[in-house]
Amino acid sequence: MSRKHELLNLMNIDTSWMKNIPNGKMNLLSFNNLELEAKNCDACSLSNTRNNVVFGKGDQKAKVLIIGEAPGKDEDLSGEPFVGRAGKLLNEILFSMKLSRDNVYITNTVKCRPPENRNPNSDEINSCSRFLDGQISLISPSIIILLGKVAAERLMNTSEPMSFLRGKVHYYKNTDIPMLVFYHPAYLLRSPSEKSKVWDDILLMKSITHGS
Ligand code: URA
């Protein structure tokens, strides 16, 4: 059984119907369907105030999946993740890891902007979870990078502080997909003295992906 099927089965999603569809086509179909569903979603009140659903962007077959917190003002207006100041810093971090937006996939724990850029609440995160879980299954990444505490809490169900979560290799559910917690670029913009610590995160990432 492929890892994608294992992940879907873990989520109690029936995969028997997939067997006659070539893998690549099935992924594309499912990804497009999921995105369409998200674009029409009104499962939580964020749908009342959004301009655009920010589903995610990048390579749907990426080895590296990056998960942020929630769309902000610029993202809500453009429909793309991390296009504001934090996004520019994220581009630099990617560049330091010899990556670019073309060979990673970037998304958020919720796909609609919380008003006034507040943190998404647990109801909003839960309403949106099937979209993020679906993206993870379909992309089937080799590594997941969680930007900041909200993403870490969502994926690890933990309330440990960032100081405890950073610098360690975690795993997605009961799979062998490693997950790393990085500082959120918006936090680094607010606390420039912490920027040097990103280098440790990058080195940890390199030590895991070396040779893959
Ligand atoms: N911050 C996030 O967490 N996600 C975005 O898409 C933009 C800013």
Side-chain angles (χ1 to χ4, degrees), residues 140-208:
S140 189
S142 302
I143 184 162
I144 300 175
I145 296 179
L146 305 172
L147 298 177
K149 196 162 160 46
V150 171
E153 280 179 2
R154 158 66 178 84
L155 271 290
M156 286 190 265
N157 211 6
T158 177
S159 51
E160 295 289 355
M162 284 295 284
S163 54
F164 178 82
L165 297 170
R166 274 186 59 250
K168 295 189 177 86
V169 183
H170 310 270
Y171 290 91
Y172 176 61
K173 293 188 175 167
N174 47 347
T175 70
D176 58 357
I177 303 175
M179 293 196 298
L180 302 182
V181 180
F182 280 23
Y183 279 132
H184 193 290
Y187 167 77
L188 295 171
L189 289 171
R190 289 194 303 271
S191 322
S193 61
E194 300 283 46
K195 269 192 192 170
S196 59
K197 293 192 185 156
V198 176
W199 191 240
D200 299 330
D201 297 336
I202 293 171
L203 288 181
L204 180 59
M205 156 92 180
K206 280 188 176 164
S207 74
I208 292 179

Side-chain angles (χ1 to χ4, degrees), residues 28-42:
L28 197 65
L29 275 175
S30 315
F31 217 92
N32 292 347
N33 282 347
L34 198 64
E35 181 158 9
L36 201 64
E37 278 182 47
K39 294 217 154 130
N40 290 304
C41 176
D42 57 5

